[in-house]
């Protein structure tokens, strides 16, 4: 209730392009286990909103659940957390209370934690001086947003973060670039 995206009420009835995509969300850990959902999308269809809602759903439904949300670089990860993810969370008081434990702290911009559920949202990146942040973060849900241009090696490296998970769900979103050079 109250869900807003970019300051506007979210209404799936106006996002027909996402209907079939939303139907792909697993309802159980068994359905999610080891599954990969790859979405090659056009710009501004709402796939990033979909990805955030999937992460929120997993964090609550499959708790404890560590959601690793990868973008190409650190600045995009911080922007997404602060300017896309948290406004959605703030629009739903029950979600906001979960993340803040009913208090005022929303956590670190790159790490949002639902302490009562032992779930987390880590906003990470695959590119950068040190090759991105791809090590030492075990996860249950792995999402790669704006993965176009990434290498198979980078996808494999971050997928390894799921090796000890009871969920092991991957979500990859990409705007197509060139044939045979993208997800």
């Amino acid at each position: 209730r109250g869900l807003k995206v970019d300051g506007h009420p979210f209404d799936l009835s106006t996002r027909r392009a996402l209907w079939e995509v939303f139907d792909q969300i697993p309802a159980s850990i068994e359905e999610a286990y080891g599954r990969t959902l790859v979405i090659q999308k056009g710009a501004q269809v709402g796939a990033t909103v979909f990805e955030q809602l999937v992460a929120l759903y997993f964090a609550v439904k499959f708790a404890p659940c560590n959601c690793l949300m990868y973008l190409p670089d650190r600045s995009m990860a911080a922007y997404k957390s602060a300017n896309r993810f948290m406004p959605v969370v703030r629009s739903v008081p029950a979600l906001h209370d979960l993340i803040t434990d009913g208090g005022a702290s929303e956590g670190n911009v790159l790490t949002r934690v639902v302490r009562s559920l032992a779930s987390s949202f880590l906003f990470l990146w695959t590119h950068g001086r040190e090759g991105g942040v791809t090590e030492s973060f075990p996860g249950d849900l792995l999402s790669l947003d704006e993965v176009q241009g990434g290498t198979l090696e980078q996808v494999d490296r971050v997928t390894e973060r799921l090796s000890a998970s009871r969920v092991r769900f991957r979500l990859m979103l990409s705007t197509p670039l060139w044939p045979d050079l993208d997800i």
Side-chain angles (χ1 to χ4, degrees):
R1 287 188 198 149
L3 178 65
K4 290 185 179 180
V5 174
D6 299 328
H8 302 283
F10 182 77
D11 182 359
L12 194 56
S13 70
T14 63
R15 306 244 183 194
R16 288 190 60 91
L18 291 177
W19 289 6
E20 186 176 340
V21 176
F22 269 86
D23 286 342
Q24 302 305 310
I25 300 170
S28 68
I29 289 175
E30 294 76 23
E31 279 183 47
Y33 186 80
R35 190 164 164 208
T36 299
L37 180 58
V38 178
I39 301 171
Q40 199 168 47
K41 63 183 181 68
Q44 305 305 312
V45 297
T48 298
V49 172
F50 167 77
E51 177 235 12
Q52 293 174 103
L53 294 176
V54 168
L56 288 162
Y57 171 77
F58 271 55
V60 174
K61 177 139 178 109
F62 304 144
C65 183
N66 293 319
C67 303
L68 308 179
M69 303 172 77
Y70 278 93
L71 286 124
D73 62 50
R74 180 186 170 97
S75 64
M76 288 179 77
Y79 175 83
K80 182 176 184 175
S81 174
N83 297 295
R84 300 295 310 274
F85 183 78
M86 284 311 297
V88 167
V89 168
R90 287 184 202 113
S91 74
V92 181
L95 282 175
H96 192 251
D97 283 349
L98 275 175
I99 289 182
T100 63
D101 287 327
S105 175
E106 294 178 343
N108 178 292
V109 71
L110 297 175
T111 305
R112 310 291 183 173
V113 178
V114 182
R115 293 191 201 300
S116 62
L117 300 175
S119 290
S120 65
F121 306 92
L122 302 178
F123 293 86
L124 305 165
W125 56 97
T126 56
H127 299 74
R129 280 185 310 197
E130 295 84 33
V133 178
T134 58
E135 311 300 327
S136 302
F137 294 103
D140 299 297
L141 163 70
L142 170 67
S143 71
L144 292 152
D145 192 1
E146 304 296 346
V147 73
Q148 65 271 18
T151 66
L152 185 56
E153 178 186 29
Q154 290 166 327
V155 172
D156 287 344
R157 191 169 51 232
V158 297
T159 296
E160 179 59 29
R161 303 295 90 219
L162 301 178
S163 63
S165 171
R166 73 194 203 306
V167 180
R168 296 185 191 190
F169 186 81
R170 287 191 314 170
L171 174 60
M172 299 192 300
L173 309 173
S174 175
T175 305
L177 293 175
W178 299 102
D180 301 322
L181 295 176
D182 201 1
I183 64 169

